[in-house]
């Protein structure tokens, strides 16, 4: 008799986001999204997706009720995925999804409560990981990433950061599989900004197919030209991710191969300290990154 399949509840909560990471996940090729939702993601373990606003058929109060009852019923057992940054200004009234007891159910309340009750937390996309676009200066909404938000509220729940604008779906699926197979990442398996080294341990510039052009001083004058994109604003020298090997859209392409400079979208400094995006990186800033 086959052994029973273990169910891991997953709550995917979207705070201030463009839903780009949800869309990126829907594009996952191997496994495809049907495999993730229906099949065993690793042998003997099935992800039971309890809540995901972008793909849920329901809307309004009934889905907020589902969020609450799922979190209560599965307390301490569910994997919480947060997409988007948390807007904390004005007592959280800068961002809310649905109502509770006739009042806005703010993203601040939701991420606080869901985070405290989770078995583990993943921050997907750069906004959830580090604040990202929503936290760009002057940041009137007081937006911040999940790790900083938890720290500000004394929530001692480890957060695995899967940044990217958007994240690569392979990074999410791979990290979930890692957690289910081996348990939470150990500190040695993460870099100093909470990213799994297995996906973010590679510097883009060192592994770029245009690197011979950089070394030879052959630089592109316009996006799409042959040559290194450094003078067009490429931030590959300060970006860490396995994009050169993995690509996006099932290895179809990725930014630099398509002729676009890397914006270092996986870095905590994105976008403020890496702007203007289409201008050569400030040499002084580059030196600081290199010695960091
Ligand atoms: Fe480095 Fe960017 Fe040039 Fe590639 S295109 S070699 S990452 S500066």
């Amino acid at each position: 008799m086959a052994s029973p399949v273990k169910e891991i509840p997953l709550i995917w909560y979207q705070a201030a986001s463009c839903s780009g990471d949800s869309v990126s996940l829907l594009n996952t090729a191997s496994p495809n999204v049907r495999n993730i939702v229906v099949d065993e993601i690793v042998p003997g373990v099935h992800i039971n997706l309890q809540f995901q606003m972008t793909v849920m058929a329901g809307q309004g109060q009934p889905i907020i009720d589902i969020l609450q009852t799922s979190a209560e019923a599965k307390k301490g057992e569910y994997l919480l995925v947060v997409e988007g940054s948390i807007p904390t200004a004005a007592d959280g009234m800068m961002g809310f999804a649905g109502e509770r007891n006739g009042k806005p159910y703010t993203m601040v309340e939701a991420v606080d409560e869901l985070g405290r009750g989770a078995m583990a937390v993943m921050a997907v996309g750069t906004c959830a990981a580090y604040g990202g676009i929503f936290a760009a200066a002057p940041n009137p909404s007081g937006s911040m990433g999940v790790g900083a938000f938890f720290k500000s509220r004394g929530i001692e729940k480890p957060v695995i950061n899967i940044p990217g604008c958007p994240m690569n779906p392979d990074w999410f699926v791979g990290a979930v599989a890692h957690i289910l197979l081996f348990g939470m990442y150990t500190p040695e398996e993460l870099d100093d900004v909470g990213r799994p080294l297995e996906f973010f341990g590679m510097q883009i510039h060192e592994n770029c197919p245009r690197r011979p052009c950089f070394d030879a001083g052959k630089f592109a004058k316009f996006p799409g030209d042959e040559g290194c994109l450094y003078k067009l604003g490429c931030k590959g020298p300060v970006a860490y991710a396995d994009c050169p090997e993995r690509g996006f859209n099932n290895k179809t392409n990725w930014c630099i191969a398509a002729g676009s400079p890397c914006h270092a979208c996986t870095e905590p400094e994105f976008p403020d300290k890496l702007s203007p995006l289409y201008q050569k990186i400030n040499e002084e800033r580059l030196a600081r990154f290199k010695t960091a």
Side-chain angles (χ1 to χ4, degrees), residues 174-252:
V176 170
H178 180 110
I179 292 170
L180 297 182
L181 282 169
F182 310 117
M184 281 300 279
Y185 285 94
T186 63
E188 294 73 31
E189 292 170 326
L190 300 173
D191 67 10
D192 60 352
V193 286
R195 303 176 292 196
L197 282 164
E198 58 186 329
F199 306 117
F200 298 94
M202 172 185 281
Q203 192 202 49
I204 300 272
H205 183 62
E206 292 293 335
N207 297 279
C208 178
R210 296 182 189 240
R211 177 60 188 260
C213 296
F214 176 89
D215 292 338
K218 186 180 171 199
F219 295 100
K221 290 195 174 63
F222 298 98
D225 280 356
E226 284 187 16
C228 168
L229 301 159
Y230 180 67
K231 291 187 177 177
L232 295 176
C234 186
K235 310 300 188 301
V238 295
Y240 290 82
D242 62 6
C243 305
E245 281 185 353
R246 190 174 300 281
F248 269 69
N249 296 327
N250 198 22
K251 288 187 184 285
T252 302

Side-chain angles (χ1 to χ4, degrees), residues 109-133:
E109 292 173 310
V111 177
D112 182 305
E113 293 166 10
L114 294 170
R116 289 180 196 273
M119 174 250 299
V121 182
M122 296 174 74
V124 300
T126 300
C127 296
Y130 311 120
I133 298 269

Side-chain angles (χ1 to χ4, degrees), residues 46-57:
H46 171 242
I47 290 287
N48 186 342
L49 183 60
Q50 306 262 317
F51 184 87
Q52 215 290 0
M53 280 189 280
T54 295
V55 299
M56 286 172 95

Side-chain angles (χ1 to χ4, degrees), residues 22 104 161 168 236 239:
S22 293
N161 289 327
N168 190 313

